[in-house]
Amino acid sequence: MNLLNKKVIVTGGTRGIGKAIVTELANGTYGNSFISDVAFVYNSSDDQAQLLVDELSKGPAKIFAFKADVSSYQKAQETVESAIEKLGGLDILINNAGITRDNLLLRMEESDFDKVIDVNLKSVFNYTKAAIKPMIKQRSGRIINITSVVGLIGNAGQANYSASKAGVIGFTKSIAKELAARGITVNAIAPGFIETEMTEKLNDKQKEALQAIIPMKRFGTPEDIAKVVGFLCSDAADYITGQVLAVDGGMVM
């Protein structure tokens, strides 16, 4: 698979799955010829962002970092415009930014519901709305939204997170129908349990219980997701749109 000289924006790009995606598309770390210029959006540590820029800038790709609140519509418009100016165009958008504010519904604060919806779902609208303008003009583009298996099956204590990720799935399918005739594909990836900061907080008993419901008996890695993103960005996925691909070790089937 080849992905050469593409221009990419990734939201939530400094940690976990986002960092793996940025690294894969810039470096082609799994034997793929993926050398793309990448602008990633973050809202956490400036030091982490700069470390990633410094690390990846040693390779052939150009790397840019933009700090922004992804839930802000106006900031998204400004960020995409600035990223396109730096990149010299836009071919691919990866909507990956996301947060959790887990609690049982009886104990969940309204602010925790609103914040998760704003970051996980509204950001997808914000960045997709800004990104499709140049894609429609050039009649080509790829949009990949990172959802979750809990958007498919729900999860106790995650009503807000599950609702946001289910919303991303509905948004993906609707926009895929709108943009297919313009040469733009829109797909979603639904990770299962992935080795990130969230799973690191679990104790051994909790990890064993979760792994027991996964047919492959292990958590996935951020790189497992990044490889699938690379596939959907490549020419090999030219005729795939409106799909939700679960990368979960067989947990949901």
Side-chain angles (χ1 to χ4, degrees):
M1 295 187 292
N2 293 314
L3 197 64
L4 301 175
N5 303 318
K6 298 296 184 180
K7 313 298 181 183
V8 186
I9 293 176
V10 181
T11 67
T14 57
R15 294 180 296 179
I17 291 172
K19 181 180 179 181
I21 291 170
V22 172
T23 302
E24 170 68 355
L25 298 185
N27 279 356
T29 50
Y30 299 98
N32 298 311
S33 299
F34 295 171
I35 306 298
S36 299
D37 295 334
V38 181
F40 66 86
V41 184
Y42 72 101
N43 194 32
S44 53
S45 168
D46 294 329
D47 290 339
Q48 281 184 320
Q50 190 58 52
L51 282 172
L52 184 57
V53 170
D54 292 343
E55 176 186 344
L56 296 180
S57 293
K58 296 174 183 177
K62 296 177 182 177
I63 309 297
F64 306 99
F66 293 88
K67 189 168 189 177
D69 174 4
V70 295
S71 67
S72 167
Y73 178 82
Q74 183 60 40
K75 193 62 179 177
Q77 305 299 304
E78 295 170 359
T79 302
V80 170
E81 288 178 8
S82 297
I84 290 174
E85 184 177 350
K86 290 282 190 181
L87 292 168
L90 181 60
D91 302 295
I92 298 164
L93 170 67
I94 314 294
N95 285 305
N96 169 72
I99 61 169
T100 57
R101 295 288 187 273
D102 296 349
N103 216 331
L104 295 175
L105 184 60
L106 281 172
R107 300 172 184 167
M108 186 176 292
E109 298 290 338
E110 180 185 11
S111 59
D112 289 334
F113 188 90
D114 289 346
K115 184 64 175 177
V116 170
I117 294 296
D118 284 347
V119 172
N120 295 7
L121 179 56
K122 186 169 183 288
S123 70
V124 178
F125 164 78
N126 292 342
Y127 279 81
T128 302
K129 179 74 180 294
I132 61 174
K133 295 174 184 177
M135 291 182 181
I136 289 173
K137 187 175 181 179
Q138 67 198 20
R139 300 192 67 81
S140 67
R142 300 291 169 92
I143 299 170
I144 299 169
N145 301 320
I146 306 301
T147 178
S148 170
V149 292
V150 304
L152 296 168
I153 62 173
N155 194 33
Q158 289 191 309
N160 50 1
Y161 187 75
S162 299
S164 70
K165 293 302 186 177
V168 170
I169 291 171
F171 182 88
T172 297
K173 291 180 175 293
S174 296
I175 303 307
K177 291 183 176 181
E178 290 184 19
L179 298 177
R182 306 296 186 103
I184 302 167
T185 65
V186 188
N187 292 289
I189 295 173
F193 290 108
I194 305 298
E195 293 175 353
T196 61
E197 292 179 5
M198 182 176 70
T199 55
E200 287 175 2
K201 296 176 183 177
L202 302 174
N203 60 43
D204 289 342
K205 188 174 182 179
Q206 289 172 320
K207 290 180 181 179
E208 289 173 5
L210 290 174
Q211 288 171 350
I213 64 175
I214 302 171
M216 294 186 72
K217 304 303 178 186
R218 69 170 179 87
F219 293 148
T221 67
E223 290 74 23
D224 288 327
I225 308 304
K227 286 182 281 188
V228 180
V229 170
F231 164 70
L232 288 176
C233 289
S234 74
D235 293 344
D238 276 352
Y239 200 53
I240 299 173
T241 197
Q243 302 304 305
V244 181
L245 182 55
V247 185
D248 61 358
M251 191 175 77
V252 177
M253 60 171 151

